[in-house]
Amino acid sequence: MERCGDIASHAKQSCGETEIHMKVLHTVRRNKAKERNGDSSRGLLLRLELPSDPSLLCAVRGAVERLTEAFGFSAPDCRAVTRAVDEALTNIIRHAYKGRLDRPIEMSFRSIHRNADHKPSEGLEILLCDRGPSIERAKLCMRALEEVRPGGLGLHFIQQSMDVVEFKRANGTNRLRLVKYVRGPKQDVKS
């Protein structure tokens, strides 16, 4: 297998100083780092640091789409994960940072493994971190799906799209953990 090193990317927005810092770790390099360092990277695939500027959401969606495709998700699952990440980032920008364009958001994407029903499965863990104020759990309510009006369905989309959705606050940071497991191809059951 061809080995390529770390790929670091900096995307600058044309009209200002907005930057997205991206680091992608090649699979072979990740595995060798695990062997040397006792799994210190914990399966890190991609790390993004960006300001809370909604104009950058398109670039993040593109990165998430490509990562989920490479990870082996089906096309519907790729769209679902991308939509969940987009909704979560939109909520951070809109609610945690009240629309400010210069607040930090950090994202990490990791490969994780589980054994469910004696069947190992691989999953993608996405951790989104912001430094907005603490969120009151009582305010994290979803409106009824029957209400026909724009907005307010982001939490529904996130929960429908992901297998695990966990929120916690630690050391002044809001941490949203999303996990999606890869579903194997469906097999025909023969009687």
Side-chain angles (χ1 to χ4, degrees), residues 102-120:
D102 61 344
R103 307 305 302 152
I105 300 173
E106 297 175 8
M107 302 174 64
S108 61
F109 298 79
R110 298 179 190 281
S111 174
I112 61 171
H113 301 278
R114 75 168 178 180
N115 284 322
D117 301 323
H118 305 290
K119 296 178 185 174

Side-chain angles (χ1 to χ4, degrees), residues 25-27 29-47 71 107-114 122-129 164 166 168 175-179 181:
L25 299 176
H26 189 274
T27 306
R29 184 170 175 101
R30 265 197 350 243
N31 292 337
K32 294 205 183 280
K34 286 181 190 178
E35 293 166 11
R36 277 194 319 269
N37 302 326
D39 196 15
S40 66
S41 66
R42 286 185 46 231
L44 183 65
L45 300 170
L46 176 66
R47 181 168 164 68
F71 201 80
M107 302 174 64
S108 61
F109 298 79
R110 298 179 190 281
S111 174
I112 61 171
H113 301 278
R114 75 168 178 180
E122 188 174 23
L124 179 64
E125 176 190 66
I126 305 162
L127 185 64
L128 296 97
C129 300
V164 176
E166 299 173 339
K168 73 176 186 176
R175 300 172 189 269
L176 178 63
R177 179 176 178 259
L178 307 173
V179 177
Y181 292 100

